[in-house]
Amino acid sequence: MEGKYSDDQIGRARVKDTPELEAYYKELETLGAGALWTVANDIEPWEPRTSSVPMLWKYDDLRELVLKSSELVTPEQAGRRVVYLVNDKRKDVSAAVGWLYTGIQVTRPGESTSAHRHKASALRFIMEGSGGYTVVNGNKITFEVNDFVITPNGTWHEHGVAPDGKTCIWQDGLDIPLVNALEANDYAVYEGKQDLKCPVNYSPLTYGGTGLLPADVVWDKPYSPLFKYSWKTVYPALLETAKVNEGSPFDGILMNYSNPLTGGPVMQTMGASMQLLRPSEHTKAHKHTGSFVYQCAKGKGYSVIDGKRFDWKERDIFCIPSWANHEHVNLSDTEDACLFSFNDLPVINALGLYQEKEYTENNGYQTIEK
């Protein structure tokens, strides 16, 4: 195995420096050029290589600071009042992992953000509160805890909480780092509030029927017409599926949020899933391309990521970098655990970059570092 991945073989760059070559490299540099063999082994690794590290953000540690932000700045001052979560190795691009951004946003009763839009796609996973809502291109949608909401790229959107509601906190997920890396992002502010074009909750009431789609409605957008995926329907679906399916040895009962018209991902650049781990379930380890941000929606447990244990409970957020070995464990003997996650797999798959590898040592379970 070591020999297979050694750079000291034909087909890999193994040129030894000489004074003549060093002078040659300097001459190329003056012309904005370089010799490929000096960088080839670095830019063409034997296997996928990540620049991110696994991380865990404890909600108990963050919650008071998130709430404190609502005392320090207003939505008008901040635009969006968010505590963002940054990977130790991705601070230069404000990413949580890979090219994905995440943060925790807070809105008090009676508050609302200004409407805006951007080329980056966005999603929300509701963590606590009541009376919250979002308005996407004139569609007002109310949400509850553990609901999953999308605001696709280029759509006008704003958020708020009804005056008689309770302070709402939710996780934001965006592909800002990716769109910025592609030098394609932009931002615009809407003057005033959006006019409502449809009855409240038109989108989930129209497209949320299980296996049913309206025959007289035309949808020509590249993203899902279903802007909210309700926990009250998602969780029962997981339970029903678990009755007749063993699930994945690596992920338990894993179900993707999907565009009801295509069966594909909810947006062009980001996908999302909900998975259920049965009581005491311990999945086997594997690795794959694609970056993932997780939030525990129910229960408690831990994940082993590249040999390191990360303990999580409800509302904790953690990330798994691309090509990192990982496995999940439900610590309860009696209750199931549920993990929400979002990812960049639509991009990875569209570009033909997905690959996966099972961890075969120790019967599929990693040795945890002490």
Side-chain angles (χ1 to χ4, degrees):
M1 184 64 70
E2 290 298 325
K4 178 182 178 183
Y5 291 113
S6 170
D7 287 332
D8 189 18
Q9 60 179 287
I10 294 176
R12 295 296 277 181
R14 47 188 183 145
V15 178
K16 304 297 184 182
D17 282 348
T18 66
E20 184 180 14
L21 275 173
E22 290 176 358
Y24 174 69
Y25 298 151
K26 290 181 180 178
E27 187 175 0
L28 285 175
E29 188 177 350
T30 65
L31 300 175
L36 173 61
W37 60 83
T38 64
V39 297
N41 293 348
D42 186 53
I43 66 175
E44 296 175 316
W46 287 105
E47 288 190 312
R49 183 172 59 198
T50 182
S51 57
S52 304
V53 293
M55 291 191 63
L56 170 70
W57 295 274
K58 289 287 191 180
Y59 188 58
D60 285 350
D61 296 337
L62 286 165
R63 184 177 182 275
E64 289 306 315
L65 291 173
V66 171
L67 290 171
K68 187 174 182 179
S69 73
S70 68
E71 302 170 3
L72 298 174
V73 295
T74 66
E76 291 77 13
Q77 292 171 325
R80 289 157 295 177
R81 199 163 45 206
V82 181
V83 172
Y84 76 99
L85 311 180
V86 63
N87 195 282
D88 285 345
K89 298 295 186 179
R90 303 294 284 159
K91 293 179 180 179
D92 57 328
V93 292
S94 302
V97 63
W99 296 102
L100 295 174
Y101 160 99
T102 196
I104 303 175
Q105 184 166 174
V106 59
T107 306
R108 288 179 163 185
E111 289 183 337
S112 63
T113 62
S114 60
H116 59 278
R117 69 180 180 188
H118 37 68
K119 282 298 184 291
S121 298
L123 55 83
R124 330 284 166 191
F125 190 74
I126 314 307
M127 302 173 77
E128 61 177 273
S130 63
Y133 64 87
T134 188
V135 183
V136 183
N137 273 355
N139 290 268
K140 183 175 181 179
I141 298 155
T142 61
F143 49 65
E144 300 173 358
V145 171
N146 281 353
D147 285 356
F148 168 59
V149 178
I150 65 170
T151 51
N153 76 320
T155 58
W156 292 109
H157 55 281
E158 59 193 273
H159 320 291
V161 177
D164 60 349
K166 295 181 180 179
T167 297
C168 286
I169 299 176
W170 59 79
Q171 180 182 3
D172 290 330
L174 295 96
D175 58 0
I176 289 175
L178 172 64
V179 180
N180 284 344
L182 295 172
E183 300 178 350
N185 209 2
D186 63 12
Y187 192 93
V189 176
Y190 192 89
E191 293 186 11
K193 293 292 183 182
Q194 299 178 71
D195 293 328
L196 299 186
K197 299 178 180 179
C198 307
V200 174
N201 288 324
Y202 170 85
S203 169
L205 291 175
T206 301
Y207 293 100
T210 304
L212 296 171
L213 295 172
D216 58 343
V217 178
V218 176
W219 183 260
D220 59 359
K221 302 291 191 290
Y223 47 80
S224 173
L226 182 56
F227 293 156
K228 179 181 75 171
Y229 298 76
S230 299
W231 175 248
K232 64 184 180 183
T233 57
V234 169
Y235 182 58
L238 289 167
L239 295 177
E240 292 297 299
T241 301
K243 291 179 181 178
V244 293
N245 291 275
E246 292 186 7
S248 162
F250 309 112
D251 290 299
I253 300 297
L254 176 68
M255 301 189 78
N256 296 323
Y257 295 97
S258 67
N259 181 333
L261 298 179
T262 66
V266 292
M267 293 181 289
Q268 303 102 297
T269 53
M270 290 194 297
S273 305
M274 182 68 75
Q275 66 193 94
L276 180 144
L277 302 173
R278 295 178 173 95
S280 302
E281 183 166 10
H282 186 163
T283 69
K284 292 192 173 184
H286 70 152
K287 59 184 177 181
H288 48 71
T289 47
S291 300
F292 281 68
V293 178
Y294 285 80
Q295 182 187 143
C296 176
K298 182 178 184 291
K300 62 180 180 178
Y302 67 89
S303 297
V304 183
I305 309 171
D306 275 347
K308 186 176 180 180
R309 174 170 167 163
F310 295 84
D311 286 83
W312 39 257
K313 63 179 181 178
E314 285 186 20
R315 304 304 158 222
D316 289 344
I317 296 170
F318 63 97
C319 70
I320 297 180
S322 181
W323 210 242
N325 281 307
H326 57 279
E327 60 197 83
H328 308 293
V329 180
N330 179 357
L331 282 174
S332 174
D333 297 330
T334 57
E335 299 292 328
D336 57 51
C338 292
L339 294 173
F340 165 80
S341 63
F342 71 94
N343 57 68
D344 56 5
L345 287 185
V347 176
I348 295 292
N349 288 327
L351 297 177
L353 300 177
Y354 185 80
Q355 53 180 305
E356 183 176 359
K357 188 175 183 179
E358 181 178 352
Y359 185 84
T360 56
E361 299 175 25
N362 195 32
N363 198 32
Y365 301 107
Q366 301 170 77
T367 300
I368 300 177
E369 299 174 2
K370 300 298 183 181

